[in-house]
Amino acid sequence: LSGTGKTTLSTESGRALIGDDEHCWDDKGVFNIEGGCYAKCIGLSQEREPEIFSAIRFGSVLENVVFDSETRVVDYDDNSITENTRGCYPINYIDNAAIPCLGSHPTNIILLCCDAFGVLPPVSRLTVSQALYYFISGYTAKVAGTEMGVTEPTATFSACFGSAFLVWHPLKYAALLAQKMTEHSTNAWLINTGWTGGSFGQGKRIKLKHTRAIVDAIHSGELLEAEYDTLPEFGLHVPTKCTKVPEKILFPKKTWQDKTAYDDKANFLAELFNENFKQIGSPESEEMVALMKEIKQAGPVLHK
């Protein structure tokens, strides 16, 4: 889903880049099927995203940007045409790209979402059942610059983070994911790149440097050794500490001035999840019925 941070977070000088989207996981490992990246360019700078900034050069394609007609210098802060300014470039324009775009079986899977309600923590460690629940739910918020007419974030659910492309029932993909995770002892994480300290309009977007630090802590193994508390409404396991991340933001309720308002918003989001899960439809086989029941139990619980 657009606007969650896939391109920004996957492009990191300390890690080889296989791709920013459209990956496959087979018996040999992970591979990418695009051969390039499609980055949001609004606010792009050398300081914040040096790899992407440097990748936009001769041979890349820019969309919806404003530039000086004489110098041809792009103003990445100009949104007069649209917030949805884009840059497309071949993957070999990233210095540390893995060519060919292949990788081994993953140690960690990160599910990304952009929670505009400021309810979900910036990182949670997921059980297999929880990973399947959030994978099937495909929750995020449509944010400005991702679709025409979207000017402020709105909640959206897209099964397996790509419902428009599914040919089978979402549970079939969930079962395949569970098989792969179990076979390769893969850890799963939910990272929220959305709001903290309140919902959109009151809180602020989680800082990129904090999300990057979380991703680093996952890959280094730090968060595997961390102590955890549980987020009551969602049953999510949240680390109590993470290097270079303020402890306060790890538990969203602590960042809200109005704690009752947070509880109300958490219940509201939990209800959205529950209502969405009802739309998935009934599986055909008894085996899939049992899997669906297990996955449903891993979802949020409403507190009346």
Side-chain angles (χ1 to χ4, degrees):
L1 295 176
S2 182
T4 56
K6 298 185 299 296
T7 304
T8 296
L9 294 173
S10 61
T11 308
E12 170 62 50
S13 61
R15 291 187 294 273
L17 177 67
I18 294 173
D20 70 333
D21 201 359
E22 304 292 348
H23 293 75
C24 301
W25 189 0
D26 66 5
D27 294 337
K28 296 181 180 179
V30 175
F31 61 95
N32 182 264
I33 59 174
E34 289 188 319
C37 300
Y38 190 53
K40 290 189 69 176
C41 289
I42 194 69
L44 180 65
S45 69
Q46 177 75 50
E47 294 72 30
R48 293 186 75 241
E49 300 176 81
E51 292 82 13
I52 295 174
F53 187 89
S54 298
I56 298 177
R57 55 184 189 265
F58 185 80
S60 62
V61 177
L62 288 172
E63 300 174 356
N64 301 327
V65 299
V66 176
F67 61 93
D68 188 293
S69 59
E70 294 186 4
T71 66
R72 302 181 67 81
V73 173
V74 177
D75 182 355
Y76 290 112
D77 295 320
D78 192 323
N79 63 354
S80 58
I81 298 176
T82 176
E83 283 276 335
N84 194 17
T85 59
R86 296 280 182 165
C88 181
Y89 47 87
I91 197 164
N92 60 288
Y93 277 23
I94 299 295
D95 290 340
N96 58 315
I99 307 293
C101 303
L102 305 173
S104 58
H105 295 291
T107 303
N108 298 288
I109 292 175
I110 296 173
L111 306 182
L112 287 176
C113 75
C114 173
D115 175 29
F117 299 111
V119 168
L120 296 180
V123 60
S124 310
R125 185 177 180 182
L126 304 176
T127 64
V128 173
S129 296
Q130 286 175 327
L132 301 186
Y133 182 88
Y134 287 97
F135 175 63
I136 282 182
S137 297
Y139 166 68
T140 193
K142 293 179 181 179
V143 297
T146 58
E147 291 187 18
M148 185 179 296
V150 177
T151 57
E152 64 180 52
T154 55
T156 185
F157 295 87
S158 179
C160 307
F161 295 100
S163 61
F165 306 103
L166 303 186
V167 296
W168 293 324
H169 191 284
L171 278 176
K172 177 140 188 168
Y173 298 96
L176 288 170
L177 179 60
Q179 178 186 342
K180 288 290 188 184
M181 289 181 62
T182 302
E183 182 180 351
H184 300 288
S185 301
T186 304
N187 305 303
W189 311 83
L190 178 66
I191 286 185
N192 170 30
T193 61
W195 272 253
T196 183
S199 299
F200 171 79
Q202 298 168 336
K204 295 182 178 179
R205 193 83 188 256
I206 295 170
K207 291 183 179 179
L208 176 58
K209 66 179 182 180
H210 294 153
T211 305
R212 286 194 187 279
I214 288 168
V215 175
D216 288 342
I218 288 172
H219 286 301
S220 71
E222 175 189 336
L223 291 190
L224 282 177
E225 305 299 325
E227 295 183 357
Y228 284 81
D229 284 337
T230 303
L231 192 70
E233 299 83 359
F234 291 81
L236 294 171
H237 307 293
V238 182
T240 57
K241 291 183 180 180
C242 179
T243 300
K244 297 182 180 179
V245 179
E247 292 182 25
K248 183 178 180 180
I249 74 166
L250 294 172
F251 291 87
K253 189 172 182 176
K254 294 181 179 180
T255 67
W256 283 56
Q257 290 186 349
D258 188 337
K259 310 302 182 188
T260 301
Y262 171 85
D263 291 336
D264 291 342
K265 194 64 72 174
N267 259 346
F268 173 76
L269 182 58
E271 189 167 4
L272 289 181
F273 269 100
N274 290 339
E275 287 301 314
N276 172 72
F277 202 83
K278 294 177 183 178
Q279 310 304 316
I280 293 175
S282 302
E284 297 179 358
S285 68
E286 291 185 8
E287 181 181 2
M288 287 297 178
V289 169
L291 177 61
M292 188 168 187
K293 183 178 180 180
E294 176 187 337
I295 294 173
K296 184 178 180 181
Q297 291 174 342
V301 177
L302 288 170
H303 294 278
K304 302 297 185 182

